Amino acid sequence: MAAAGRAAMLDAQMSLVVDHLSKRFGSVTALDDLAFEVPLGQVFGFLGANGAGKTTTMRIALGVLEPDAGRVTWRGTESHRLPRSTWGYLPEERGLYPRMRVLDQLVFFAGLQGVPTGRAKREAMAWLRRFRAEDLAERRAEQLSKGNQQKVQFIAATLHDPQVLLMDEPFTGLDPVNVMLLREAFLELRDRGRTVVFSTHQMEVAEALCESVAIVDRGRMVVGGSLRDVRRATGRRMVRIAVEGDHRLPWLASLPGTRVIQAGMDRSTVELDVGVEPDEVLAAAVGAGARVRHFEVADPSLEQIFLDFVGHPADEEAHLVPETPSPREEDAA
Amino acid sequence: MTHESPTGRGSSGRNVALVARREYAERVRSRAFVFSTLLMVGLAVVIALIPLAFRVVERATVTPIAVAAPDAELANRTIAILDAFLNASMDGSGDRHRPFTFELVGSPAAAVSAVGDARVAGAVLADRTAGGGLDFRVVTIGGLAQDKLQLLQLGTFSVGVLDWTAANPNTTNPFVPPTFAVVDAGAASAGGGGSAVDTAEYASRRIVGIVFVVLLFLTLVFYGMWVASGVVAEKASRVMELLISAATASQLVAGKILGIGLAGLTQVTLVLVPALAMMVVSGQLGNAMLGEDVTAATSLAGLSPGLVVAFLVYFILGFALYAAMYAGAGSLLSRAEDLQIIALPLSIPAIAGYLPAVLALSGSNAPIIRFASYVPLWSPFVMMARLSIGRVEPWELVLSLGLLLLTVPLVTLLAIRVYRAGVLLYGQPPTVRTFVRAVRGG
């Protein structure tokens, strides 16, 4: 037990710890004893609907907001004692100086984080090349598309090579090509030992990228940990099956404790109650004469887990308690 | 309140400089800056040329003077000398416009009557005193400007010298300087000898004071609004979110105030230097074209290096004070359209300081004016006005500057506190409640 305790303490010293944060804006509770840990050098998904408290948590980590209770630590040091250059922040609300040239902006923001001009220019150009956006360097921000502005902001957040990247909804508004480029960038940063935390309500993106996640709702932690643990936490078991013929799987009616939760021409997903084994589904299919083309024992998707725990889809607005806040408060939350 | 995360402690100054440099470059490269500077330079140069224009207009005018004396010899001598003195061509170029004409009248009463009928601009009444000297009284009803009265006084002094020389060929008797008095027939009051010179100096100091006070008022309010609009623009474009994560609120506020303050100082310099140069050039041009004028230099006579230094000090401290207030207030707004909400309330302290400054310039040194010159929000205007007029005790200046120096960091700290909370607030225009919450670090 003592060894386990020491290991836990060591973990906490080596990672980003959101330690029982609470924050109220007037009568609105934005964070309610929120606690989770982000392992060092991982891509971490911070999942929740709009208004769940993701932005507030990030702002507290950055030292821009002060919590009412709790703290955020990185490798054992409280966030407000860390140099700002520890963090790279991509805010949800995107913004650049409209009339300033892209390269000048990148050099300016890197300069604020202590990067010398020459190095900032070189690395900014390298990142622009990587994002297939070299030609943007001399253009003013107001001349860029939203997607390109977002890429520039990502570079601005990354150029000083921070230890932790806090990315608030980084994939929103990006086309599939740019989503792919950004995902590759995330993975490369992780491979370089950086810790990447990003918030999203797009569960499929989180599922594809994250090793660990935290699901928050109304400022409270719902479930968190490694993706595998989170999947198991639901206790749900599924199979995915593809058959020739009726994809609604009418023969399943003979097998109690099963139900089709997603019927598709390609494959259908069947949820199993506790006590029903996956091979019973396969046997029922064969017994009914169905020709099985694909069969797999599957974990529930993040989308399903989110629905199970939160009760509504992630792209639905969270309703903050106990009363509707004013627009100012709502925005801050 | 929120913490000021360390940025690498030594980097504070560098970040302030980076923010200031960006602000400065953005301002001075903007079209609004270029156009407003050109417009102000044009206006300032035109204003600087006004004294020359006055001299040109005045050159074409003729001032008739009636002369009365108890004896014909004195009357003729007075006319001859005043004519030679007042209509002299200073550069010896010969035929010139004669600005004065002299008319001999039979009695002082006739001369005064001519003034009353506006047939002449003034009357010179010469008389002999019991001590052997001469007494001159100039009667006018506002028809003679100070510079002309000054010339008349110098002219009558020459009359006195020649009269004394003629009456004392052996120069055994001591010279008795002539007495000189101005009688305003309208106000029926007489001014003392030598007052004309003081009045001219005083007028110059007033002009310089007005220029400084108006310039301070306009620049503090105008450049203060630059600061507020800069903060609002950063919020409206949402670049603030990136900024506030990269630099602390105090670095951002200090950098913005410094950068915009330097841009403002650049504009003031760009406007003042050509204007002052034009005043000097136009004075010389006037002398070359119109001849030497002993009174022409007085427009700049009230401008001393000490006043210029005082202006710079009060501009810098006053701007820091007002800019901090504008930065704090601007941080509570979300859209450029909302700037009008703060424009009037923030200009009220400046207006409240401008009014006693105008009173101080008109010569008032009432306790309330003196008090206003110590109050930090008002002292840049009121003390500058009092310094221009020249009625300030050293301890008053120390008190005024000391209070201002103490207030600037206090207000700046308060503004940073408001800014830190305000920049994250979006939505409806701010209320008093929002402000109080921001001050408390909400």
Side-chain angles (χ1 to χ4, degrees), chain B residues 415-434:
Chain B
I416 289 168
R417 212 179 159 103
V418 172
Y419 180 95
R420 199 180 293 142
V423 291
L424 296 175
L425 296 177
Y426 286 89
Q428 292 157 349
T431 59
V432 174
R433 188 169 153 252
T434 327

Side-chain angles (χ1 to χ4, degrees), chain A residues 59 66 80 83-84 95 97 328, chain B residues 3 6 234 237 241 244 428:
Chain A
R59 284 175 172 176
E66 177 79 355
H80 67 264
R84 286 198 173 219
Y97 286 108
R328 303 182 69 80
Chain B
H3 296 290
E234 282 171 345
S237 72
E241 302 256 343
I244 201 75
Q428 292 157 349

